[in-house]
């Protein structure tokens, strides 16, 4: 095994093309934002029944992925797995980039984004949302410190381990906070469940690793750096385990709700007759995001191939989107139970399934967040020594 | 520092002869002059309004001294149709100064920039009136 | 020229003016309504929301008829929100709901608005404290610090809140509302503060139905407290333990 050498990535033609594409997406997102700001949220698909829409799916996806992307570094420094050590820097960089992308979407979707300063200075400490703002800001600080101790010359390894441990605990609390945004909503039968916090942590493990694998593969291919097939397959198998854990928590969540007669309605909606949501749950979340990637990476012959891991990562990401769409929008589409035992015969959409049709503006805003996250991590790799010159299996240590 | 800049700006604005087109043309108000003086109001109006708005909204105090409603009632400027203009017109009292100082007013996304219809007689900015800041100050001092 | 120092302290001379106001409420109300006179009096702490009161509503569903929307119209007129042709995104400070009992087929009609909970979820979840409860129990949105995150709308069990989806012009001076912030029933706080009842209650009374009653829940002698004492009533989603200030009879 050779010493791992980290080098800034060199600009080449494909990288410039990718950067141009990202800038195009960022411009589209900025235009969408200006348009929404000028006309109000009337131009989006969101309304007074579906108050959080596609931008929130993108934002929460990116925030969940951010804490998950940090896991690779945690596996290296907290759990001492040697093969993951050369990946720890990219893991930290990707984590802060993804969080920045997610928060940008979240903030730009506010009714009054110009009042961000209010959100940063006036805290209501009984609000889990306010706590999340503190957790997000703290995450930037902790992960920046983590990157610093990893990259600083002559830093004792104990310091790296210590900061790495703090970062690991912090990201667990952060994702607990993200899940609790929904888990603590007593009013809605689709939420109001403590299991949403561990479910979100499991999702972050899976989505974060999947995003990490794709970004790592892309970065290595674009800069002509070796990426060992064994290392990739190893991460692929871990991804398979994480995907299975997500399925487990999702199963417990729905089985528990099915047992409670009060929640039978919302479960029937999500699992059986909810149209797009039912379809996304079974086909998107369970099949595409769970069963297929698990089968791909654990296949006796094909599982070790890089293509299997890469495909599985892409599928886990799609499944994660589907799952968040079902949780966020399905949960709002199902009507509030204000009058149990009664049916509303005339009202302003009481007791009816609420319709949400996203507009292109919301898609562009969301893709802007992804583009921002990718642009930031690419820029970080350009100016900092993040990416190892070689990740070939011969170069990566064994544990 | 910020205070000093505000002072400087206000000094500049109150030099009628030297300023010429530099100073904003501030329309006259109806009602009694501010007992605290106009300079005080120019420097502190936002603090007074912010303090009193919190009093009203959060504490339910309706007997406040500095409400936006009262500002609008006294400082309304009538347009060509004899009706008070709203914030979209550059004749609006708030805009005469805020446009000049390039300071964004955040009030009128929610608040009406015109007084209630039943409000009292308003003083119009007559053509040829010496309604620049110095004259306004003098008038207020009398 | 040195700018005068800014001070928010009360002056003794103004205290007496307040006392005068308190002694002659009727006169003072008329004077205040004309607006200008406010300026001359100068600022001081005046009559605040009274922590010894808790304003509430009692709605007698038995007296509410399904074809009547007087309360909704009155609220809309009073507070300046209206139908803009986009029902999904229009503000709904108060709405009429017609219900059919699944077990018996019995039909009911009732108005729904902010239930002014004692332990309101919207207040708990608001990241900036824009959602708050006045000392007298009225739950409001302080639109000055609302960032439009809509988490309160996710948290409200009654779907009582609306997000302003479009730019607004020509608001009522006492009911400011604008794009990008959340709003809901204010219990006509501007009317309550001057001693009147909410517009919906007044309008309901004028129709002859008299299905809505407004009053102080903490005053055992008030009409509403007596009615609550002597007849059965319930709070919507009472299982959540939010202790709403709005209760329903004959539901």
């Amino acid at each position: 095994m050779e010493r791992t050498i980290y080098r800034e990535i060199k600009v080449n033609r494909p990288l410039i093309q990718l950067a141009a594409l990202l800038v195009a997406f960022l411009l589209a997102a900025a235009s969408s934002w200006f348009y929404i700001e000028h006309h109000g949220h009337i131009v989006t698909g969101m309304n007074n029944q579906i108050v959080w829409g596609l931008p929130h799916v993108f934002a929460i996806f990116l925030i969940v992925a951010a804490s998950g992307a940090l896991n690779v570094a945690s596996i290296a420094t907290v759990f001492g797995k040697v093969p993951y050590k050369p990946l720890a820097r990219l893991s930290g960089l990707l984590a802060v980039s993804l969080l920045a992308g997610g928060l940008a979407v979240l903030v730009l979707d506010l009714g009054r984004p110009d009042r961000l300063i209010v959100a940063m200075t006036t805290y209501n400490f009984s609000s889990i949302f306010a706590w999340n703002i503190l957790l997000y800001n703290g995450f930037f600080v902790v992960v920046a410190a983590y990157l610093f101790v990893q990259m600083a010359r002559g830093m004792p390894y104990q310091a790296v381990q210590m900061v790495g441990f703090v970062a690991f605990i912090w990201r667990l609390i952060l994702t607990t906070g993200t899940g609790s945004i929904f888990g603590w909503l007593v009013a809605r039968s689709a939420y109001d469940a403590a299991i949403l916090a561990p479910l979100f942590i499991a999702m972050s493990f899976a989505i974060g690793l999947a995003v990490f694998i794709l970004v790592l593969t892309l970065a290595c291919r674009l800069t002509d750096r070796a990426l060992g097939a064994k290392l990739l397959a190893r991460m692929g198998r871990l991804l398979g385990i994480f995907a299975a854990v997500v399925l487990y928590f999702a199963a417990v969540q729905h089985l528990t709700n099915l047992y409670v007669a009060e929640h039978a309605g919302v479960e029937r909606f999500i699992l059986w007759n909810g149209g797009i949501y039912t379809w996304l749950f079974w086909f998107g979340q369970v099949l595409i995001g769970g069963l297929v990637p698990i089968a791909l990476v654990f296949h006796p012959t094909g599982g070790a191939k890089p293509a299997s891991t890469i495909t599985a990562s892409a599928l886990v990401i799609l499944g994660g989107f589907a799952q968040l769409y079902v949780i966020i929008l399905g949960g709002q589409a199902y009507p509030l139970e204000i009058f149990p035992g009664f049916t509303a015969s005339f009202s302003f959409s009481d007791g009816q399934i609420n319709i949400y049709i996203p507009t292109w503006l919301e898609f562009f805003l969301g893709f802007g967040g992804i583009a921002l996250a990718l642009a930031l991590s690419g820029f970080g790799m350009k100016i900092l020594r993040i990416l190892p010159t070689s990740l070939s299996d011969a170069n990566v240590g064994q544990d | 520092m910020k205070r000093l800049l505000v002072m400087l700006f206000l000094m500049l604005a109150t030099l009628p002869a030297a300023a010429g087109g530099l100073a904003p043309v501030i329309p006259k108000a109806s009602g009694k002059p501010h007992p605290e003086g106009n300079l005080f109001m120019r420097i502190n109006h936002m603090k007074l309004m912010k303090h009193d708005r919190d009093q009203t909204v959060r504490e339910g105090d309706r007997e406040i001294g500095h409400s936006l409603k009262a500002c609008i009632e006294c400082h309304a400027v009538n347009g060509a149709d004899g009706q008070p203009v709203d914030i979209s017109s550059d004749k609006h009292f708030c805009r005469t100064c805020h446009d000049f100082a390039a300071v964004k007013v955040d009030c009128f996304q929610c608040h009406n920039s015109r007084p209630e219809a039943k409000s009292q007689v308003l003083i119009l900015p007559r053509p040829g009136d010496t309604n620049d800041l110095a004259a306004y100050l003098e008038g207020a001092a009398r | 020229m040195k700018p005068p120092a800014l001070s928010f302290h009360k002056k003794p001379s103004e205290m007496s003016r307040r006392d005068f106001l308190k002694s002659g409420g009727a006169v003072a109300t008329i004077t205040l309504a004309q607006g200008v006179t406010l300026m001359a009096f100068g600022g001081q702490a005046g009559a605040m929301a009274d922590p010894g009161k808790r304003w509430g509503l009692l709605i007698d569903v038995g007296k509410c008829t399904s074809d009547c929307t007087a309360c909704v119209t009155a609220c809309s007129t009073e507070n300046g929100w209206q139908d803009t042709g986009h029902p999904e995104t229009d503000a709904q400070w108060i709405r009429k709901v017609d219900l059919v009992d699944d077990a018996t087929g019995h039909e009911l009609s009732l108005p729904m608005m902010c239930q002014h909970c004692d332990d309101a979820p919207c207040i708990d979840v608001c990241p900036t404290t824009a959602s708050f409860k006045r000392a007298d129990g009225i739950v409001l949105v302080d639109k000055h610090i609302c960032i439009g995150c809509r988490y309160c709308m996710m948290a409200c069990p009654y779907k009582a809140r609306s997000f302003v989806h479009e730019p607004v012009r020509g608001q009522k001076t006492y009911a400011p509302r604008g794009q990008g912030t959340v709003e809901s029933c204010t219990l006509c706080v501007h009317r309550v503060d001057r001693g009147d009842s909410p517009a919906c209650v007044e309008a309901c009374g004028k129709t002859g139905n008299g299905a809505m009653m407004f009053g102080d829940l903490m005053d055992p002698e008030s009409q509403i407290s007596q009615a609550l004492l002597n007849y059965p009533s319930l709070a919507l989603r009472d299982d959540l333990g939010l202790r709403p200030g709005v209760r329903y009879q004959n539901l």
Side-chain angles (χ1 to χ4, degrees), chain A residues 37 40-42 48-49 51-52 109 111-112 115 124 126-127 181 188 337 341 343 345-346 348-350, chain C residues 87-88 90 95 98 100 102 123-127 143 146-151 154 159 163 165 179 237:
Chain A
E37 272 311 289
H41 276 65
I42 187 90
N48 280 331
Q49 285 70 46
V51 300
W52 286 355
D109 182 72
R112 298 295 305 260
R115 287 184 183 159
N124 170 20
S126 65
S127 166
I181 289 178
R188 292 179 187 261
E337 294 267 12
T343 302
S345 59
F346 166 81
F348 189 72
S349 66
D350 283 284
Chain C
E88 291 301 312
D90 277 347
R95 64 186 193 272
D98 288 2
V100 182
D102 292 338
I123 298 172
D124 287 341
V125 302
C126 177
K143 285 159 195 151
C146 174
I147 56 173
C149 74
R150 286 104 82 199
Y151 196 25
M154 291 288 277
K159 217 172 70 181
F163 180 66
H165 284 75
Q179 182 194 329
R237 286 306 306 268

Side-chain angles (χ1 to χ4, degrees), chain A residues 36-42 46-49 51-52 56 109-112 115 118-119 122-124 126-130 180-182 185-188 191 332 336-339 341-350, chain C residues 86-92 95-102 108 110 112 123-129 143-151 153-159 162-163 165-167 179-181 236-237 240:
Chain A
I36 296 171
E37 272 311 289
H38 185 74
H39 293 279
H41 276 65
I42 187 90
M46 289 174 268
N47 53 51
N48 280 331
Q49 285 70 46
V51 300
W52 286 355
H56 299 80
D109 182 72
L110 292 176
R112 298 295 305 260
R115 287 184 183 159
V118 175
T122 322
Y123 285 105
N124 170 20
S126 65
S127 166
I128 183 66
F129 215 87
S180 300
I181 289 178
F182 298 95
L185 285 177
V186 292
R188 292 179 187 261
Y191 307 132
Q332 294 176 82
L336 285 166
E337 294 267 12
I338 307 174
F339 309 99
F342 289 93
T343 302
S345 59
F346 166 81
S347 80
F348 189 72
S349 66
D350 283 284
Chain C
H86 314 284
E88 291 301 312
T89 48
D90 277 347
Q92 288 284 330
R95 64 186 193 272
K96 279 297 297 285
V97 185
D98 288 2
L99 296 169
V100 182
D101 191 326
D102 292 338
L108 299 167
L110 53 84
M112 274 293 292
I123 298 172
D124 287 341
V125 302
C126 177
T128 65
T129 69
K143 285 159 195 151
H144 300 111
I145 56 171
C146 174
I147 56 173
C149 74
R150 286 104 82 199
Y151 196 25
M153 299 174 74
M154 291 288 277
C156 177
Y158 307 107
K159 217 172 70 181
S162 309
F163 180 66
H165 284 75
E166 291 168 275
Q179 182 194 329
T181 55
L236 297 178
R237 286 306 306 268
L240 297 173

Side-chain angles (χ1 to χ4, degrees), chain C residues 8 17 47 56 58 79 91 108 157 193 199 219 226 243:
Chain C
F8 293 119
R17 200 272 304 180
L58 175 61
N79 294 298
L108 299 167
D193 280 349
D219 174 10
Q226 286 296 314
R243 297 185 303 281

Side-chain angles (χ1 to χ4, degrees), chain A residues 198-233:
Chain A
L199 173 69
F200 269 62
I201 291 180
M203 285 171 72
S204 82
F205 277 48
I207 296 173
L209 184 59
V211 171
F212 181 85
I213 290 171
L214 287 191
V215 170
L216 175 70
T217 312
L218 187 69
C220 288
R221 292 213 174 152
L222 286 179
T223 57
D224 273 332
R225 299 187 186 189
L227 177 59
K230 275 189 191 159
L231 180 66
L232 209 52

